Amino acid sequence: MIVIAHLSDTHIDTGAADGGRSADRTRSVMKYLNSLPYDLDAVIATGDIADHATPSEYEAARELLATRHPLLTCPGNQDERPAYREHFLGEPPSKAPINTAHATDTFTPALCDTSVPGEDHGLPEDETFDWLSTLLAEPHPPAPS
C-alpha cells in the first residue's frame, strides 16, 4: 500500500498580520506526520507554500516542512520561482518551472508546475510538457491496486 500525506496552501507568512497562525498550523501537521509509527511514502506540499514569496517565508517553510519522510513540493500562483528555488530549495534562482518527481520501488509521483508568474491562473509551459513526456517514457513499476 502506498501512503501519501498531502498538504496544500500552507501560506507561510512571517509578517505581523498573520500572528504566526500559518506556521503554527504547519508545525502541528508536520509534528503529527513525523510522529507516525511508520514511514510515509511521501509528503507532498503543493501550492502557495509562502504567502508573499519573501525570502523569510521560504526559509521558515523549509524549516517547518522538514520531515523524515520524502518531501516533494510544487509552487502555486502566489509563489515566485526564483525566490522559491533560492530560499526554499537551496538552488540557484531561476524563472524556469519547478517540476519534481521522486522515484520509489512502487511508484513515481510527478508534480508539474503550472504556475504562471504574476497571474492567478495556471497553465503548463512547454518545458513542463517536455519534462513530463521524458519522465513518462522511462520505465516505472506499476502501482499496486
Side-chain angles (χ1 to χ4, degrees):
M1 174 176 21
I2 297 170
V3 181
I4 299 169
H6 179 214
L7 290 72
S8 182
D9 294 273
T10 54
H11 287 273
I12 301 302
D13 185 351
T14 55
D18 177 70
R21 289 185 307 276
S22 59
D24 289 344
R25 285 190 305 265
T26 303
R27 189 177 295 109
S28 293
V29 169
M30 295 309 293
K31 181 179 178 182
Y32 173 79
L33 295 177
N34 287 325
S35 71
L36 291 172
Y38 51 87
D39 291 332
L40 297 173
D41 293 291
V43 173
I44 298 176
T46 60
D48 301 339
I49 301 295
D51 201 44
H52 303 97
T54 65
S56 65
E57 289 174 346
Y58 288 120
E59 290 163 2
R62 185 178 62 238
E63 291 177 20
L64 289 164
L65 292 171
T67 180
R68 65 185 169 91
H69 311 289
L71 175 68
L72 287 84
T73 66
C74 193
N77 66 310
Q78 290 188 328
D79 291 305
E80 292 183 10
R81 293 173 181 171
Y84 186 104
R85 271 202 165 83
E86 182 176 8
H87 300 285
F88 182 65
L89 299 177
E91 300 174 356
S94 166
K95 292 183 179 182
I98 302 169
N99 301 308
T100 308
H102 177 73
T104 72
D105 291 340
T106 55
F107 77 120
T108 302
L111 283 67
C112 299
D113 181 356
T114 62
S115 64
V116 177
E119 300 291 333
D120 289 335
H121 69 279
L123 184 68
E125 295 179 24
D126 288 342
E127 183 178 335
T128 295
F129 283 120
D130 293 343
W131 172 82
L132 185 58
S133 293
T134 300
L135 180 68
L136 292 174
E138 297 171 359
H140 298 283
S145 56

